[in-house]
Amino acid sequence: MKIILTGSLGHISKPLTQELVEKGHAVTVISSKPDKQSAIEALGATAAIGSLQDADFLTKTFTGADAVYTMVPPANYFDHTLDLLAYYHRIGTNYAQAIGQSGVKRVVNLSTIGAHLGAGEGSGILLGAHDVEQILNALPADVAITHMRPTSFYYNLYGYTAMIEAEGVIAANYGADGTIPWVSPVDIAAAIAEELETPLVGRTVRYVASEELTGNETATLLGAALGMPDLKWILISDEQTQKGLVSIGMNPTIAASLVEMYASLYTGVLAEDYNRHKPALMGKVKLTDFAEEFAAAFHQKYVS
């Protein structure tokens, strides 16, 4: 198959590229950075250097493809001029235009847990992913689309390294005794590869998760890897969480949306649809595997 991947060589797209190339597919990887071309080609893929903001570039790149993987790259939450919802809407619209004009009939789109929630329903920063799903779903019915909805990424825990080093705790307005469905990008990549190779008619949603743990269990496993057996996950208020995010320079609007998302995760609202449609099999990468990587990075930053 001729498959086009967005996401450059990010956490998901790099292992996805490797797997698809190993399976014999002709893979083109879109990247906005010219300096990624050699690394993409070293994996056996073709590099298409251009911007997701350029619908004409996307249309040209998608033309002739058997399948396309779409994702919206992470935005800079510390940019105080960023309109996050508008950013998602713009990229989603460009994808829809390029898919429609290029004639692609198979799309796998990276969405998220909580994307079933609309405006005002508690999704916070995830509302953009909901909107992208709706934009793509408006394409003609002969375009088959799988919306991948992964759960909370293990690597988001890196955001707590400074807090762990300074205070010896993880403090947030979710977690603690609440369940967090975690996922590894490696497991997401494997699921996306499977979907890209699977014929489909219409639209479908697929959740991806690696392991479900409470915040307390998460802290215990991280603490064991770090050599900090007393590491605790402490539940704090929404107000405290938002104040902390703003204090480190985050866009206040995005901070409020992030807190709303976390609060919905803790109350269970965010995971309602996930709980009704859990994956038949959890991914292979467990938190104990990630904890070793986390500990190595932590010690390199704060100990060495």
Side-chain angles (χ1 to χ4, degrees), residues 213-226:
L213 297 166
T214 65
N216 295 331
E217 291 168 334
T218 300
T220 296
L221 292 172
L222 287 181
L226 290 167

Side-chain angles (χ1 to χ4, degrees), residues 143-168:
V143 179
I145 305 173
T146 302
H147 295 294
M148 308 298 296
R149 291 182 180 175
T151 54
S152 300
F153 287 54
Y154 288 136
Y155 66 71
N156 290 341
L157 288 163
Y158 283 120
Y160 297 108
T161 54
M163 184 184 294
I164 292 171
E165 195 278 335
E167 303 175 37

